[in-house]
Amino acid sequence: MGSMVAGVWYTDEGIKARPDGEWTRAPSILRHWITPDGAPGPTGDGGFAAEAGRYHIYVAPNCPWAHRALLTIALKNLGALIAVSFAAPKRTDQGWVFDNDKGYMDGLFGSHSVHELYSRGADDYTGRVTVPVLWDTKTDRIVSNESADIVRMLGSAFNHLGANDIDLYPQHLRGEIDAWNERIYRDFNNGVYRAGFSESQEKYDAAVKTVFETVDALEQRLENTNYIVGDQLTEVDVRLFPTLARFDVAYFSAFKCNIRRLTDYPNLWRYARRFFAMDGVKDTVYFDIYRRGYHSQSEKRNPFGIAPAGPVVDWSL
């Protein structure tokens, strides 16, 4: 997949497991913050004030971390304020790339690959080239490539410019939100990858056990509530849903998270379909891309690149 060193792209074999066979994810390091008035946020420099039409976000339809940003744009009604460009749902030796012939294009610069954006907007960058990328057209800089931060800033910074008043991070629930966010990220969002990319039986067994312990906890949590925290929509739900949407069509088979399916959990399955039915959410979901993408050719996981025909799952309520 490659990576960048001091703003220069280098092709390599991608992220590897540790010597003990456990897979780890590198952290995002571009973490500035958009605020209503441009004051510094929790991380990074100030100067990024919320303005209609100033910011552009780059995503890929198959990336669950980018999916968080798309969901927030939909749920907060930010489509008229922030433009979106889609990279193609594939990676090459150039990392994430655009494919103009198939409608995946850089709406700002006509780039061929996402790493060109990193070279332009963070010219001394060293690290992985990931999506989402939140871009500031005024300063020609990358604001952030950390999806959790992007969800949080999009959830509040643009309220005075016409975004709706849904509060995804209400003050009185923040402690509980933070706790669930940490567990869901560690043991579910990232847990499925630890299972799928494990290179030892021991590490796989531990990872998949943790995944399903978390699913069981979520199933129990939803016994008498419609949402994970406070019986209201929060960023916990936004961060959980992308993994749920990919679970049966991708993670179940491609990542060997196959003890049970999402559809085997009555409360969680009901919750997922209700979220899917919310305004704008369906337009952010690409089941066939997930099915084909996660079963793409891989020397270790799927050497022939054969994608399964199913499962066929009805997400309608």
Side-chain angles (χ1 to χ4, degrees):
M1 292 184 291
S3 58
M4 296 191 75
V5 177
V8 179
W9 175 258
Y10 292 91
T11 300
D12 61 25
E13 296 179 358
I15 306 168
K16 298 179 177 65
R18 296 187 331 207
D20 64 2
E22 183 175 1
W23 179 83
T24 56
R25 183 180 299 278
S28 300
I29 59 176
L30 296 173
R31 302 183 65 179
H32 306 298
W33 208 270
I34 299 172
T35 57
D37 60 359
T43 59
D45 302 327
F48 297 98
E51 299 174 22
R54 174 173 172 176
Y55 298 97
H56 197 99
I57 194 160
Y58 291 89
V59 298
N62 52 332
C63 175
W65 317 106
H67 195 177
R68 297 173 169 187
L70 287 175
L71 287 169
T72 309
I73 289 171
L75 293 168
K76 288 291 296 182
N77 194 30
L78 293 169
L81 302 176
I82 300 174
V84 179
S85 286
F86 282 83
K90 62 181 179 181
R91 280 179 286 186
T92 71
D93 63 356
Q94 296 300 302
W96 292 108
V97 295
F98 298 97
D99 188 342
N100 292 354
D101 292 339
K102 294 184 178 179
Y104 300 107
M105 59 188 68
D106 175 2
L108 284 179
F109 308 112
S111 305
H112 297 290
S113 62
V114 173
H115 74 72
E116 296 173 36
L117 296 168
Y118 277 70
S119 295
R120 182 185 184 108
D123 58 10
D124 61 348
Y125 179 76
T126 294
R128 297 174 62 229
V129 171
T130 60
V131 289
V133 175
L134 183 56
W135 186 276
D136 177 17
T137 64
K138 179 174 286 188
T139 63
D140 217 23
R141 293 175 62 192
I142 293 174
V143 179
S144 178
N145 68 345
E146 171 49 60
S147 64
D149 292 354
I150 291 172
V151 167
R152 190 158 294 176
M153 69 180 81
L154 296 184
S156 60
F158 294 84
N159 288 358
H160 65 295
L161 296 175
N164 62 41
D165 60 0
I166 294 174
D167 187 357
L168 297 175
Y169 194 52
Q171 182 71 43
H172 69 291
L173 294 175
R174 288 182 180 180
E176 195 173 359
I177 289 171
D178 291 344
W180 274 104
N181 277 344
E182 181 179 359
R183 180 176 184 182
I184 288 169
Y185 168 76
R186 181 189 65 232
D187 297 338
F188 192 53
N189 300 148
N190 203 46
V192 294
Y193 286 86
R194 292 205 318 274
F197 292 157
S198 289
E199 295 184 357
S200 78
Q201 187 69 51
E202 179 185 7
K203 294 301 179 182
Y204 163 76
D205 289 343
V208 80
K209 179 176 182 289
T210 302
V211 166
F212 281 94
E213 286 175 345
T214 305
V215 176
D216 290 342
L218 291 165
E219 174 71 5
Q220 182 177 3
R221 179 74 171 185
L222 291 165
E223 183 70 37
N224 297 303
T225 185
N226 291 322
Y227 298 100
I228 304 301
V229 176
D231 205 18
Q232 67 182 81
L233 180 68
T234 70
E235 65 181 40
V236 175
D237 307 291
V238 174
R239 293 170 55 149
L240 172 62
F241 181 78
T243 305
L244 298 179
R246 289 157 176 78
F247 201 86
D248 285 4
V249 297
Y251 300 140
F252 181 87
S253 52
F255 284 3
K256 302 182 183 70
C257 294
N258 55 7
I259 295 176
R260 286 177 293 276
R261 303 164 300 172
L262 174 62
T263 53
D264 293 326
Y265 292 88
N267 299 329
L268 195 55
W269 178 225
R270 182 168 53 250
Y271 161 89
R273 285 181 294 156
R274 187 167 52 244
F275 191 100
F276 181 73
M278 296 180 70
D279 288 346
V281 170
K282 182 178 180 180
D283 294 335
T284 72
V285 177
Y286 307 90
F287 293 120
D288 193 51
I289 287 177
Y290 308 155
R291 179 183 58 81
R292 290 184 283 109
Y294 281 92
H295 293 91
S296 60
Q297 190 169 15
S298 165
E299 182 179 343
K300 293 182 178 179
R301 291 183 294 108
N302 190 10
F304 295 105
I306 297 172
V312 176
V313 182
D314 183 4
W315 276 75
S316 60
L317 285 173

